[in-house]
Amino acid sequence: MDEFRVSFFAIPLIDTDFTRLFTHTYSSYMALCRWHFVFNSQFRNVAVKRRWVPVTTAENMEYRRSIKAFQRVTVSTRLICWNDKRFYLEQKFLIGGNLHANCILEGLIRGPSGILQPPEVFAHLGVKSESPPVPTHIDHWLRARV
C-alpha cells in the first residue's frame, strides 16, 4: 500500500514536441513506473518464480496541466484497493508537488494457468489483508463502465 515514486526529465523531441509531453508518453511512463512498482516489492520473487505478469485492463486518465520540455516529473504509483477480480491503482504526474495528470487503473495478474484473483495473489505472498474501502471516485468509474 506504500507509494512508489519515479522521477525523470521531459526530454525535448523524445518525450515532447518543442513544448509539451506527448499523450502517448504518459502511457509509456506509467507502464514503466508500474513495472518498477511491482518488481521493487516483495511481489517480485514470487512473480518471477511463478511466471506471473501484471496486465492493465482499463485506464481512466485525467490531464490537468501540460508537462513541458525540461521539467522534472515525478510519477507516484499506489495500490488503492482491490476486489475479488481486479486491483486498482492510482498514478499521479507531479511537478514540484503539483498535480499535472492523474490516472486510475484496473489490473490483474496473469500466470501460466490463467488469471489469478487478488486473494490468491496475497495468499502466495503470505499477506493477509483486506482491501481498504473503494474510494467514491473509483466506485463511480466502475459503475459507469458496467
Side-chain angles (χ1 to χ4, degrees):
M1 299 302 289
D2 292 337
E3 181 179 64
F4 184 78
R5 291 178 173 238
V6 174
S7 294
F8 62 91
F9 285 98
I11 302 170
L13 302 176
I14 295 175
D15 297 331
T16 70
D17 56 12
F18 289 106
T19 58
R20 291 178 175 77
L21 201 67
F22 293 127
T23 304
H24 68 273
T25 306
Y26 287 88
S27 293
S28 298
Y29 278 117
M30 288 189 317
L32 180 64
C33 293
R34 284 193 307 274
W35 191 259
H36 282 286
F37 172 76
V38 168
F39 289 102
N40 282 306
S41 70
Q42 63 181 351
F43 178 80
R44 175 191 58 232
N45 293 337
V46 175
V48 169
K49 180 180 176 183
R50 295 182 179 277
R51 299 184 311 186
W52 290 351
V53 178
V55 177
T56 300
T57 55
E59 294 180 355
N60 184 20
M61 188 74 181
E62 177 185 5
Y63 302 97
R64 292 184 173 198
R65 296 183 186 114
S66 295
I67 295 175
K68 298 177 182 160
F70 300 109
Q71 286 187 304
R72 182 174 180 81
V73 181
T74 299
V75 178
S76 163
T77 304
R78 186 168 64 101
L79 176 62
I80 301 291
C81 59
W82 57 91
N83 59 26
D84 59 335
K85 295 185 181 201
R86 302 287 190 264
F87 296 93
Y88 298 93
L89 292 92
E90 180 176 49
Q91 291 189 285
K92 296 178 180 180
F93 285 77
L94 305 164
I95 296 175
N98 295 316
L99 183 64
H100 281 246
N102 187 52
C103 187
I104 301 298
L105 298 108
E106 177 186 82
L108 58 82
I109 304 298
R110 180 178 291 280
S113 60
I115 296 170
L116 290 93
Q117 295 180 338
E120 184 179 359
V121 172
F122 287 123
H124 284 290
L125 293 171
V127 174
K128 293 183 180 180
S129 181
E130 294 203 12
S131 175
V134 177
T136 305
H137 65 288
I138 293 178
D139 186 51
H140 287 261
W141 178 54
L142 293 173
R143 291 175 190 271
R145 292 178 44 220
V146 175

